[in-house]
Amino acid sequence: MAAKNQTQTSPARRRTFILLCVGSVLAVGCAFGPEWLVRVGLGVALLTAVASVWMTWREMDRMVLQHMGELKALRDEAREAAHAHHVEMMATIARFTKRQEAYQAQIAEATAEIERLTADVAAVSLDAEAKQTRISALNKIVSDLEKQLSAAEDEVVLAQHVMSLPRRGAGRRTLDVSNIPLVYPSEAGALRQA
């Protein structure tokens, strides 16, 4: 049985082998004859050798051309595969580049939004601090007014309980409002809300 990976014998190789066999048999057959037949056998052997060398060189040239054709086909296949791989890689790179650009745009938008919100938070914090300071000042004013109101109520209650004789030249006693700060309508609304 022949092996599966054994190459087939080409027709030119078979012809060369047959030529060598026939020429060798004729040359050996001529060697046992008379002198002229030996010389003919020698000529047959030389012609067989020259013909087999010529046929062998032709077969080798054919095999070289076949091998070069196979190599060219392999190179073309490799070139096409490399080109297809290059096109695929460039498409992948372009896809990743677009995705990266989209992410960069999202990051830029998010950074701008963060900066805007940070500025808004800072402004709100400053506004809250100013309002807290204003509320503290207004609470102090309210506290002072409540103390003065409480003192005035105490005086009114005391004045109702104590009877005094009217004096001449003495004026009525009035509530001292000289040190009470004025409350503007907007501040009065803030006081009601507090």
Side-chain angles (χ1 to χ4, degrees):
M1 272 200 144
K4 283 186 178 182
N5 60 356
Q6 190 176 18
T7 59
Q8 286 186 341
T9 308
S10 70
R13 201 171 185 186
R14 195 174 298 122
R15 282 192 300 264
T16 304
F17 182 73
I18 291 171
L19 177 68
L20 279 172
C21 288
V22 169
S24 298
V25 167
L26 286 175
V28 168
C30 290
F32 298 108
E35 187 179 323
W36 66 270
L37 196 56
V38 170
R39 289 184 183 170
V40 169
L42 183 63
V44 167
L46 286 174
L47 284 175
T48 302
V50 168
S52 66
V53 166
W54 179 75
M55 290 174 78
T56 302
W57 280 109
R58 275 187 53 198
E59 179 63 14
M60 285 178 61
D61 287 343
R62 187 195 65 78
M63 288 175 68
V64 165
L65 288 174
Q66 179 184 359
H67 182 67
M68 288 174 66
E70 289 172 359
L71 286 178
K72 183 179 180 302
L74 287 174
R75 274 196 311 265
D76 290 344
E77 274 182 34
R79 187 180 307 118
E80 288 174 8
H83 179 69
H85 180 69
H86 175 72
V87 167
E88 182 182 342
M89 286 289 97
M90 292 308 289
T92 303
I93 289 171
R95 190 170 55 248
F96 283 140
T97 302
K98 285 181 184 176
R99 191 178 298 167
Q100 189 256 350
E101 288 171 355
Y103 289 152
Q104 288 292 341
Q106 288 178 351
I107 289 170
E109 288 175 11
T111 303
E113 184 69 15
I114 288 170
E115 289 174 359
R116 187 184 62 76
L117 290 175
T118 303
D120 288 349
V121 166
V124 167
S125 296
L126 287 174
D127 190 38
E129 287 176 12
K131 288 190 182 202
Q132 188 61 39
T133 304
R134 182 72 178 146
I135 288 171
S136 297
L138 292 174
N139 283 340
K140 186 173 182 329
I141 292 170
V142 168
S143 174
D144 290 345
L145 287 173
E146 285 175 348
K147 284 179 187 175
Q148 287 179 6
L149 181 62
S150 176
E153 286 176 349
D154 289 346
E155 283 182 21
V156 167
V157 169
L158 186 62
Q160 287 176 354
H161 292 295
V162 175
M163 269 207 179
S164 63
L165 295 173
R167 296 186 191 166
R168 288 186 185 217
R172 280 190 175 175
R173 201 163 173 201
T174 59
L175 180 63
D176 182 19
V177 290
S178 62
N179 61 353
I180 298 176
L182 293 176
V183 177
Y184 297 106
S186 62
E187 292 174 351
L191 287 176
R192 277 192 227 108
Q193 289 176 359

